[in-house]
């Protein structure tokens, strides 16, 4: 049976020889979520962690094991590493994914795979030409709450789908946060707008057009701090997407149909101890389904191992990644830009 990232995560057999992984970069997401998931997976061995600052790499290896390495190239040159995880800032992904593939390593990259669809297509082609796995860690897709929502929609719980709303935002951080650096972080659309965009693809499919979009740009910082987009299919089903990094926290999407509404109340970043709640609203009653807690990062690692070891396909690679990148490109191309150059960005200091 072919695995899809929207369904149950793969459960590969324990392999007597673990997949040997190196980490290129010491991002917070690696420290908080991905390396703990790697540490718990018996089919993976963390061999080395690389940073431009060896002290930072040593800080990581003291907790998770492996060798600290000063310099990404030095890690890629090692012959005791089968695959790499790349949690670098968004605009550095393409360069180091390409270098890793050329070094013969399988790659699991944080999202987005690349800043443009053209670059993403080039990387996917390179991986295919070398027989290597290249997965994008869109971890929320591996959480089974979304498979449950899809099942309910397919069963007609809300009737015919009319519209989707998807929102992902968080409060402003300090100006030294990587997201506010135009040369590496790339701004809100690149970093977090991709979540609502991917949600639209998940439920409306690839035949969507961007009717309009807006990006709020801070010219002093040189990045967009938030935005929104209106998408539609030919049959009139629409999607309204909102994202930002100067908002109260929200991680939510809802599907509104002809006879009801269904929503995922903590859609994108549920902790591994959180039992997600799916809310169903119909004219005569409302109900909430609480699902078992699970670790979506652990599912990503399991999918990566299954892809490398057994060739099990996933929804984290290939055409699904390209569809995402193309749609982000269209949002950016269609966006009206607004700015308040004389104001300090809210919450930044």
């Amino acid at each position: 049976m072919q695995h899809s990232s929207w369904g149950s995560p793969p459960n590969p057999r324990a392999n007597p020889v673990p997949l040997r992984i190196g980490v290129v970069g010491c991002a917070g997401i690696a420290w908080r979520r991905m390396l703990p998931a790697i540490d718990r997976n018996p089919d993976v061995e963390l061999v080395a962690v690389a940073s431009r600052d060896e002290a930072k790499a040593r800080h990581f290896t003291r907790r998770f094991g492996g060798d600290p390495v000063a310099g990404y190239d030095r890690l890629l040159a090692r012959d005791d590493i089968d695959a790499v995880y790349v949690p670098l800032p968004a605009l550095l992904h393409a360069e180091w994914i390409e270098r890793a593939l050329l070094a013969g390593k399988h790659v699991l990259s944080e999202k987005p795979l690349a800043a443009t669809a053209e670059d993403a297509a080039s990387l996917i082609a390179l991986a295919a030409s070398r027989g290597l796995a290249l997965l994008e860690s869109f971890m929320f897709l591996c959480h089974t709450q979304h498979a449950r929502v899809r099942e309910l929609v397919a069963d007609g719980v809300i009737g015919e789908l009319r519209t989707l709303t998807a929102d992902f935002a968080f409060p402003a951080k300090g100006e030294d946060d990587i997201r506010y650096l135009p040369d590496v972080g790339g701004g809100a659309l690149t970093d977090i707008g991709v979540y609502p965009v991917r949600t639209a693809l998940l439920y409306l499919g690839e035949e969507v057009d961007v009717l309009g979009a807006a990006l709020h740009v801070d010219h002093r910082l040189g990045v967009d701090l938030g935005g929104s987009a209106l998408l539609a299919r030919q049959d009139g089903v629409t999607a309204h997407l909102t994202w930002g990094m100067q908002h109260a926290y929200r991680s939510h999407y809802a599907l509104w149909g002809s006879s009801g509404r269904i929503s995922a109340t903590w859609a994108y970043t549920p902790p591994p101890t959180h039992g997600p709640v799916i809310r169903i609203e119909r004219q005569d009653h409302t109900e909430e389904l609480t699902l078992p807690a699970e670790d979506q990062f652990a599912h990503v690692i399991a999918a990566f191992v299954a892809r490398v070891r057994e060739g099990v396909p996933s929804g984290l690679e290939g055409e699904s990644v390209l569809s995402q990148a193309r749609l982000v490109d269209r949002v950016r191309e269609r966006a009206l830009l607004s700015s308040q150059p004389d104001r300090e960005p809210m919450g930044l200091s």
Side-chain angles (χ1 to χ4, degrees), residues 29-324:
I29 191 69
W31 177 270
R32 295 190 308 272
R33 300 297 299 272
M34 189 61 83
L35 287 184
I38 288 174
D39 190 51
R40 291 191 296 269
N41 190 311
D43 293 322
V44 177
E45 177 189 356
L46 178 62
V47 174
V49 177
S51 173
R52 290 170 176 166
D53 177 358
E54 187 174 356
K56 185 177 290 186
R58 196 173 300 280
H59 176 61
F60 272 62
T61 57
R62 276 198 295 265
R63 177 182 176 189
F64 298 109
D67 299 332
V69 178
Y72 308 146
D73 281 322
R74 289 182 61 194
L75 184 142
L76 295 180
R78 293 178 60 138
D79 59 9
D80 59 347
I81 290 175
D82 307 308
V84 295
Y85 165 55
V86 180
L88 293 169
L91 299 189
L92 300 181
H93 289 172
E95 174 188 354
W96 288 100
I97 291 170
E98 180 181 30
R99 292 191 184 197
L101 293 171
L102 292 173
K105 315 299 185 188
H106 302 282
V107 179
L108 172 63
S109 172
E110 278 303 322
K111 49 76 203 156
L113 200 68
T116 68
E118 181 180 3
D119 287 345
S122 176
L123 293 172
I124 289 167
L126 177 60
S129 72
R130 291 178 167 259
L132 296 168
L134 173 58
L135 273 64
E136 181 182 58
S137 181
F138 241 119
M139 68 287 180
F140 90 92
L141 296 173
C142 291
H143 200 296
T144 54
Q145 66 171 315
H146 310 295
R148 182 66 176 132
V149 171
R150 284 165 62 86
E151 289 170 0
L152 291 166
V153 172
D155 289 343
V157 168
I158 62 170
E160 295 183 5
L161 178 62
R162 299 290 189 237
T163 193
L164 160 76
T165 59
D167 313 298
F168 188 34
F170 49 75
K173 302 179 183 297
E175 284 191 20
D176 59 345
D177 188 273
I178 203 73
R179 298 172 183 88
Y180 301 122
L181 302 180
D183 294 337
V184 291
L189 174 59
T190 299
D191 190 74
I192 57 176
V194 289
Y195 288 85
V197 169
R198 190 57 170 261
T199 305
L201 287 170
L202 180 59
Y203 290 102
L204 273 65
E206 296 179 14
E207 300 303 315
V208 291
D209 191 19
V210 180
L211 301 185
L215 293 175
H216 173 70
V217 177
D218 183 277
H219 290 295
R220 184 174 62 85
L221 295 173
V223 297
D224 60 292
L225 299 179
S228 61
L230 179 63
L231 281 53
R233 287 193 318 214
Q234 286 292 323
D235 61 1
V237 176
T238 60
H240 184 201
L241 317 178
T242 306
W243 60 90
M245 46 194 193
Q246 54 176 356
H247 302 59
Y249 181 82
R250 186 166 174 82
S251 173
H252 175 275
Y253 68 77
L255 299 141
W256 193 355
S258 57
S259 60
R261 181 180 173 90
I262 186 168
S263 58
T265 59
W266 198 342
Y268 303 123
T269 57
T273 56
H274 171 73
V277 176
I278 297 172
R279 182 178 176 85
I280 303 169
E281 304 170 57
R282 288 182 283 196
Q283 185 171 351
D284 55 348
H285 76 282
T286 298
E287 64 177 302
E288 291 186 344
L289 307 177
T290 302
L291 305 181
E294 58 185 76
D295 185 349
Q296 58 192 18
F297 286 84
H299 294 339
V300 169
I301 291 298
F304 185 54
V305 172
R307 177 66 177 83
V308 172
R309 291 297 193 203
E310 301 175 32
V312 179
S314 78
L316 304 176
E317 60 187 310
E319 188 56 39
S320 67
V321 175
L322 285 178
S323 296
Q324 161 80 20

